[in-house]
Amino acid sequence: MVAPAALRVVRCGGGALHGARAVFSVGARQAGRFLLCASGDFVKMYSVATEELVRLLRGHGDLVTGVQLAPHNHLQLYSSSLDGTIKLWDFTDGILIKTFTVGHQLLALYALPASEDSVFVIIPKRDTYQLVSVKLTKAAGQDMEAKELSVVLEGVDASPKCTAFGREGEYVASVKDVSLQVYFFKRKQLNRFSLRATNKKGGNNVFTCVACHPHEDCIATGHADGKIRLWRNFNHKKEYTFSTLHWHHDKVLDLAFSVEGTSLLSGGVESVLVQWHSGSDCKKDFLPRLGSAIEYVSISSDGTFYCTSHTDNRITIINSNLRFSKTIQGLIKARDIKTGLVVDPRTKALVLNGEPGHLQFYCLQSDKQLYSLDIVQQEYIHQAGLNQSDLARVAFSAQGKWLATVEEREETDLELQLKLWFFDEETQSFRLNTRISMPHEDHVTAMCFRDMDEMEDDSLMLVTTGRDCVFKVWVILEDTDPEGNWSCDFVGSYHGYQATNCCFSEDGSLLAVSFEETVTVWDSSTWDLKCTFCHPPGKIRTICFGRLTCSKYLIGATDHGFLCCWNLLSCALEWSAHLNVVVLQPDPLSEYIAAFSWLFKESSLFVFKPNEPRPICIQRKFCKERIQFAAFVPRDVPETIGSEKYLWLRRSQLFFLTDTQELMTVSTKSLEERLTLSSKQLAVEESLPVTPFSLLLGKHRQQQSQEDVDLGKIVRHHREQDSPAVKELLHTPAHVLPSASFLCPIFINSLLVSKENKSVEEAPAEVEMESEGAEDDSDEENTVTEMKQEDIMPTESLGETTHKLSKSEEKELRKIRKTDYSWISVF
Amino acid sequence: MGEFEVHRVRFFGLVPAGVRCMAYQHRGCRLALARTDGAVEVYNFAANYFMEKAIPGHQARSVEALCWAAGERLFGAGLSGDITEYDLERLRPARTVDGFGGPIWSMAANNDGTRLAIGCEDGSVKLFQVVPGGVQFEKNLDRQKGRVLCLSWHPSGTHLAAGSINFIRVLDVRSGNELPQRGSKKRECVVWSIAFLSSGTVISSDSFGRVQFWDWERGTLQDSHTVSTSAVLSLAVSEEEDSIVVGTSAGATYQFQLLPVKAGGQEKRWVRTKPFQHHTHDVRAVVHTPTALISGGLDAQLVIRPLMEKVQKKGYDAVLRKFTFPHRRLVSCARKARLLLFQFSQHLELWRLGSTNKTGTPHSAPPHLQGPEHIYCSCVSPCGSWIAYSTASRFHLYRVQHEGDSISVKKVPGVPKLLLPAYQLQCASDSGRLFVASDRGSVHVVQLLEPGGCKHLHTICVWCCSGTREAVYLLASSADGNWLAAVSGDWEVHIYSLKHFKHHCTVPTYSCAVTALAIHPATNNLFISYSDQQLFEFSIPEKQYTAWSRMVQNSGLHKLWLERDSPITHIAFNPKNTSQILLHDVYMLCVLDKSLPLPDNNTLLVNQSTLKQLSEPARRRQLHAFKICKKFQPLLFADLLDERCLVTVERPAVDISAELPPPVQQKKFGT
């Protein structure tokens, strides 16, 4: 479409789901409910009933910081972003209605029913932040400037949790450090209350969050020492009073009042949701074991659902009786990813560290966690300074039948465990087969299976390398168990150097193990050292074998900035390049190898084939962050790629993880293409509610005079797979549809076969085949249709007749239909 | 005054009795407090919360309820079934009236103080009229089964709310009829405390830890707050009826406030606001004054928590006060013989001080009391051979014989029949005379005769010259035996000449209570400390304040000195350095050097640690008159044995809590 040079880096998932408080849409039934939350640059819309991602609202150019339902139209949504815009969406259709440009970074957004045409945002002002109200003009037009700002409060905290609006918008409460300020809009009175920073008992009075009672003059504030204070009488400067609730032992991270204000929800790092009843310290309910720290708590407007956003990128939906309902899990941000990105051959899911001690299987297509496998199987204790076992290495066998994991715990001496898991077809999960404690004396640096797809089971072996200067080969002994147990078969070493990497050649006959500066190649059947390579003075950082046509090459990268390619047949250096390679990732389905370099604080991508020293694709400085890990994930369907340069992307997709644990991918498609066409086209018309259907109708209206091709035929042809017209009719939200009387004739007409369909010669072949059967019996119907047409004729000025289409129209329609499908397939 | 050899005494096993009930008199700003051993104390809030009066207890007289009625008359009632009126001038029960209803659990006076209602074990509520010279039975109200644990008058005086086990009753005072009762009988619920508001709301606190608000006319529950998992024992309402305070058996107190639901709206609601945890044990009594919440617990602490929003300016009233020990001296010291006499409520202990690096030796089988009365006062003579003590009805004098390490105590026969009780005892420095403070401002002088006899010498009567009826509660005699200073309950300090047994002069009246006084051995200056922490020096021969005292009054004392917590309970002098005076209260020990300049408000008051780091000339510049040592806490007594030797008596709070019964078990996070 656009120039092929555009290889773009796309954030492909794992965006934090806890950028702002999630909002529930208003709906009568549970099925019609959506949960809207900010995630990276997008607003994600999940179905409450099915926890599926329903829609992705894209359009912001930076982090979305606030999501609020429009107070006077609950089918619309305001979102604010660091890019300085407030956008108004029709979220049920995913249409961007308006964009208001404010021109400052927006850090939080509040929309109140009391203020008709303005919203409140937090913007930076030099070093501090201020709360301002922004007047949103009602004028027509998509892009609008919203420059009418009026400052409400100075010196507020940047966090959206630290400001809250009170009952009917009469006051606003904001906390920062140890002071609470309350501004009354009507009286224009500002009251400021401060606490001592610490008290005698070692409490920490710093405010962390604030919430206001929906009907009473009561403010709840959370504090760093876990206390919750309920402030009352704060319209008096002196006679204010507060009561204290204390259960949390650490920071209260968020607070929310129930809709009636009878109970208060609080959450913190304990990952327990606490429900306080009627401001009493004695009556409280708990929902424990929510997995990780609660970042945000929100409540649906009718109070039937609560929702907690967690720091590990999860949203939990909870029934109002504190019964756990559903969970939406994104990519968990582990504190430290040690396993790297591994692809599960079975599910094609990305596998990496998840919760502490767990392995997460993350589905890239749906941006969802498939499941989490508990490897360490020990209770994780949330306490600072406690060394607990964590997962360090993971490897899958070729078919995904075996999973090897290494966990380590570093106290005064190292504790290591190698576990081998067998995939149980019956239970469809991994089962622990062998547990080997202390497989090495020191850290395990690398691990790989000999993966041959076709070979029988006894060829399966696992190689681990350790800092204790040896590599070990593990094989299955079959004598005890039907599945067999793993035990050590061979221990190899090389001059007492630390073993750092290992890699099997494609056919499994050779094993390459790098020992500091040297790469050794071993015969995997006899365990003879075949040859050694080295490229002094650098130590070997990564190695890999070439694949398919290039399987005679061994690629290695040194930490002195050289990328070397050795020929295994001649045992000589084929070529080398001066490149500081951080990550070297071969594509399992092709001979291409991707290398990421890190130079001058920018990452570059090089893709090459080992047999030619010239890279196929160079993408310099495409990312400002250091790349930690990368993985090629096989595509389900090979993509059609026009450019020679990007052929390497045809069969697999390259994913990589940056330092900040953002999962990214590269794509050749332009931004426009990635944005769904429909939403782009539909953004044209303004005043009307724009849906594909109305667009379709609009087209017809314009070209009414043109004649002749029958719509009915196409409709008939697609009946078994639902005609687009019917589909649209059924799938477009009811509130944007024209009146029923208007739709009825179109709908009926679309089901009928009109007379003209006989005259169509140029209809597509597949259409003809179908329509022939229908021709015989449709005579009667046709006459009826004709009559109808005549009836309708007089009212043609209204533009209802749609059963006749020109050829160009048909093309257009087909195009729309196509786009339509893509639009639907998004979900 | 450099270094001291310190006898750090920690074997005084005093366990103050827990607070049982309290009554606050709004007009006089006085708080009456009864302890579990039957002792009654009166604190004067106008005089910096000084414990003005103390009536020692009696084994048979427990006090379950106290109330002020008819102005300044104090009534108590207890499980003995009697209503007792206390004579606050002579510090003893004046008269008792039997309630004829078994043990009395509760008593309440109506708003104008003309009637008393008592709740008895047999379930009856009886009304008494307060008449001059006592109380008179008026009528019986309807009787129900179950003891009446708490009572409260409606402010109009027409109705009474009574709480007992499982139900609350509202009684019409005129007809004696009972209004519909409410309560449940599922589990035994003890209504511990009740309050009747003028709006018709009855507030009750019960053993389930609830504070409940009832509409008495309809008998419906308006609001219920669960405050604690343990019982809520006490409840008090402010005068404006917009705030209440409750005390729980877990040692916590909570404030409830009547707050508008919406700003400017009419609807108001009781909201639990501030929790306080000052006690470790049951809070048996709470009082709500206009500016403070007062709570007393079984851990013997009296806590005064000011309401910051009601206190107009920062000062003495705006600070939290905690009193554990009585504002009286319970230790007397025989300097020459190096003996310490400890006064307990029902016995005495005599200890001999060892050398400073050894523990003291318990000495002497203490003269155990016969009879149920508690000790008013005691003293040991400086030579250590005489011990005297007094109870409400008896005065005892003992001769102590030292034979090497052993000791024998012999009762002195033929003790003169004095006007009893004695409120203070003081031996002359030569151990030849004993001064016995008595009521009506009189002091008896008893001559102690070797080898074990005594003779009543003279009675000095203040009453004759000033007409006071109050008892003398502090005495000080001069070292040369010429002068005697006596303080009576109206805070007047009279000085008598012992040569002529004649009134010498009166120290100009000051508006505060005297907490301690002593006569300087060399100069015969009377040193007086008042409860507002002021210090005066009065020259007896010249009958006027000394120049130093005038200078102190002109320049004023340091702010921190004036804001100290507890009153000075003992004054001693350095025999070698006439300008040095030793003062102490519970939290500090101070050597006051009159020769040094006074500190002003900008200098550091407690500067001993900073002085240590300074060079010699700089230190000289920084020196000021108050040398304060806070090492010994809580300090019950400190005295100079000689110029190099100091004795301090401490009673660590840990030791007291170890002797108390274990508190209500509470789960604490992280334990």
Side-chain angles (χ1 to χ4, degrees), chain A residues 51 64 107 136 233 262 291 304 391 400 437 450 529 582 661 673 689 696 703 729 732 745 756 761 776 816 825:
Chain A
E51 71 202 77
V64 177
L107 291 139
L136 302 179
N233 233 17
T262 48
T304 48
L391 200 57
S437 61
R450 181 160 82 165
L529 179 62
V582 185
Q661 296 195 17
E673 209 173 340
L696 181 82
Q703 302 174 2
L729 191 69
T732 313
E756 283 94 327
E761 261 82 53
D776 305 358
I816 289 166
S825 68

Side-chain angles (χ1 to χ4, degrees), chain A residues 256-318:
Chain A
F257 273 104
S258 68
V259 178
E260 286 304 314
T262 48
S263 62
L264 175 70
L265 296 175
S266 67
V269 292
E270 301 88 356
S271 50
V272 178
L273 184 70
V274 187
Q275 187 175 28
W276 307 83
H277 296 284
S278 60
S280 163
D281 215 349
C282 293
K283 281 186 270 176
K284 49 186 178 280
D285 292 323
F286 303 102
L287 180 64
R289 291 183 282 280
L290 285 176
S292 66
I294 295 170
E295 195 72 31
Y296 289 96
V297 179
S298 49
I299 293 178
S300 70
S301 59
D302 58 354
T304 48
F305 290 104
Y306 304 148
C307 138
T308 53
S309 314
H310 300 261
T311 43
D312 69 349
N313 237 340
R314 190 153 45 90
I315 291 178
T316 309
I317 300 171
I318 295 158

Side-chain angles (χ1 to χ4, degrees), chain A residues 1-3 6-11 41-42 58-61 667-677 679-680:
Chain A
M1 199 166 161
V2 203
L7 187 69
R8 293 184 323 109
V9 176
V10 182
R11 234 177 260 192
D41 303 356
F42 314 122
R58 19 186 150 206
H60 278 297
S667 165
T668 51
K669 288 181 184 169
S670 64
L671 179 70
E672 287 76 21
E673 209 173 340
R674 279 185 67 87
L675 287 180
T676 48
L677 278 169
S679 68
K680 194 166 169 273

